[in-house]
Amino acid sequence: MTTASAGPNHLERRDRLRSRLRELGCDAALVTDLLNVRYLTGFTGSNAALLLSADTADVLSTDGRYTEQAAAEAPGIEILVERRCADALLARASTTNRAAVAFEAHHVTVEDHRSWSTDHGLITLSELGQAVEDLRRVKDPYELAQLREACAVGDRALAALVQTLEVGQTERAIARRLESLMLDLGGDALSFETIVAAGANSSIPHHQPTDRAVERGDFLKLDFGAEVGGYHADMTRTLVVGAEPADWQRETYDLVARSQAAGRAALAPGVDVRVVDHAARSVIEEAGLGDCFPHGLGHGVGLQIHEEPFMGSGGTGTLEAGNPVTVEPGVYHPGRGGVRIEDTLVVTHGVPELLTMTTKEMLVVGT
């Protein structure tokens, strides 16, 4: 289910890539990453490639399974029906005076490149780089609408879940229930495999749900998200089940909450991603628990659950208005338990827009 909003302007997206193409001095770009094809055309099939030309004569290739779908999803683009999409488009380029073709080297195998160079010798191939991914970093109003709804689905699902949580339920059963709720309450699909981690398992950042039953007083870490219109939400909340938190649990939770607030406050256009990471990480380091926070602070979300910009000590680049990102610090005590608090937000020229609205107060749930 998608929200009511104006659809994406795929031609405008292709024109922005065309500007980059001219800077590279190329006649065309061969786009083979399926998510990039979707971003530029709207086509969602499993086999496709796009030849984007400097003169706007673009061609989308797919196979016979998708003839009608391609016409419906990508109106206004010539459709070339061939099984070997990239080869068919390169053959077209070689006969239409598009001799200099930029391609997505990070998505192409060495074997494919060798084959193209041999079979299409009249074409000069050069690297496009991650030009499409760079365009995808800043979301347009349509994309932000999908992300808002995806996050709202997660909020609704978690609100329903906590009403039924009880001591004795297994991680696996809770995960399946949460996933079912996300699909029932408006999600098109799941953003990723749901993480449910109880008790000592909550110290494992990406624990996979097991048949371990929730015990009274356990931390219960839930990391989950729904996909709406192809766009991925991401949220983590850590609860306590069936008993008032122990002192160490409160201390850990409060520390992560302060770290997360510092990370959110650092989000602004022009800020280096490493600065944002440091703002949150330094809170935990100053408490002497830096080794208990072993992962980056967050990442971009969109057509992929993990995409640029990545906020960590090894990250590169700066934030821009329109970047949807997660802020998700954690403190994990091996063999005992851990806390992660994660929101999805949009960088703006003012206060970041919060998309995941579930409270970050420490909740005690279940009996």
Side-chain angles (χ1 to χ4, degrees):
M1 182 180 75
T2 58
T3 58
S5 63
N9 188 331
H10 295 109
L11 177 58
E12 189 273 337
R13 293 176 181 178
R14 295 198 301 276
D15 284 343
R16 284 192 288 141
L17 182 59
R18 239 181 289 282
S19 296
R20 176 60 180 150
L21 199 60
R22 296 186 186 106
E23 292 173 4
L24 294 172
C26 291
D27 302 307
L30 178 66
V31 180
T32 50
D33 182 292
L34 285 174
L35 287 179
N36 289 342
V37 171
R38 176 176 184 161
Y39 179 77
L40 294 168
T41 69
F43 178 65
T44 62
S46 66
N47 182 36
L50 171 69
L51 185 69
L52 183 138
S53 302
D55 62 5
T56 74
D58 304 329
V59 184
L60 173 67
S61 181
T62 186
D63 63 68
R65 296 172 295 169
Y66 296 114
T67 304
E68 291 186 50
Q69 180 180 333
E73 292 182 336
I77 301 179
E78 179 186 353
I79 308 297
L80 178 62
V81 179
E82 293 285 352
R83 181 69 183 178
R84 294 175 59 84
C85 301
D87 280 298
L89 291 175
L90 287 173
R92 169 68 69 88
S94 68
T95 62
T96 53
N97 297 320
R98 298 185 180 94
V101 177
F103 71 103
E104 296 180 302
H106 58 291
H107 184 257
V108 172
T109 66
V110 173
E111 182 178 357
D112 281 338
H113 182 263
R114 183 183 300 119
S115 172
W116 294 349
S117 299
T118 301
D119 297 343
H120 307 284
L122 297 178
I123 290 176
T124 301
L125 295 170
S126 60
E127 294 188 13
L128 180 63
Q130 298 199 15
V132 185
E133 288 86 350
D134 289 343
L135 295 178
R136 284 170 43 193
R137 286 172 60 116
V138 174
K139 272 51 177 184
D140 60 33
Y142 171 83
E143 294 176 290
L144 292 177
Q146 308 313 298
L147 285 167
R148 290 187 189 100
E149 177 60 19
C151 289
V153 168
D155 285 324
R156 294 195 291 266
L158 181 56
L161 178 77
V162 297
Q163 301 302 314
T164 63
L165 285 175
E166 295 180 355
V167 171
Q169 294 174 338
T170 67
E171 295 172 337
R172 200 185 311 275
I174 294 169
R176 298 296 85 82
R177 171 68 174 152
L178 182 53
E179 291 170 346
S180 178
L181 284 166
M182 285 190 282
L183 296 176
D184 289 345
L185 294 172
D188 296 330
L190 304 176
S191 289
F192 52 90
E193 292 187 13
T194 300
I195 296 170
V196 174
N201 288 340
S202 62
S203 73
I204 303 170
H206 275 199
H207 174 71
Q208 294 181 320
T210 69
D211 289 325
R212 183 202 188 279
V214 177
E215 300 175 4
R216 195 171 304 280
D218 272 352
F219 268 142
L220 183 65
K221 185 179 67 191
L222 307 167
D223 188 345
F224 59 98
E227 179 185 322
V228 170
Y231 288 82
H232 298 73
D234 200 355
M235 175 167 64
T236 305
R237 293 293 184 267
T238 305
L239 318 172
V240 178
V241 182
E244 286 300 308
D247 288 346
W248 75 270
Q249 290 176 313
R250 287 193 183 279
E251 291 168 2
T252 302
Y253 195 96
D254 289 346
L255 177 61
V256 175
R258 286 191 285 114
S259 171
Q260 210 252 358
R264 297 196 320 268
L267 297 175
V271 176
D272 190 295
V273 294
R274 293 167 297 183
V275 171
V276 183
D277 178 83
H278 178 73
R281 191 173 303 277
S282 61
V283 174
I284 295 172
E285 290 175 338
E286 288 168 6
L289 294 173
D291 290 343
C292 296
F293 179 15
H295 54 75
L297 178 64
H299 53 86
V301 292
L303 289 172
Q304 293 173 286
I305 185 58
H306 298 110
E307 60 182 49
E308 293 284 359
F310 291 96
M311 296 183 296
S313 57
T316 58
T318 58
L319 297 177
E320 299 175 77
N323 289 157
V325 296
T326 68
V327 177
E328 50 180 300
V331 169
Y332 312 94
H333 300 288
R336 195 177 192 190
V339 172
R340 182 164 65 251
I341 303 171
E342 175 186 20
D343 284 313
T344 299
L345 308 98
V346 181
V347 179
T348 74
H349 287 290
V351 176
E353 180 186 356
L354 180 65
L355 302 188
T356 43
M357 305 303 292
T358 298
T359 181
K360 288 180 282 294
E361 295 295 320
M362 192 176 194
L363 295 180
V364 178
V365 301
T367 57

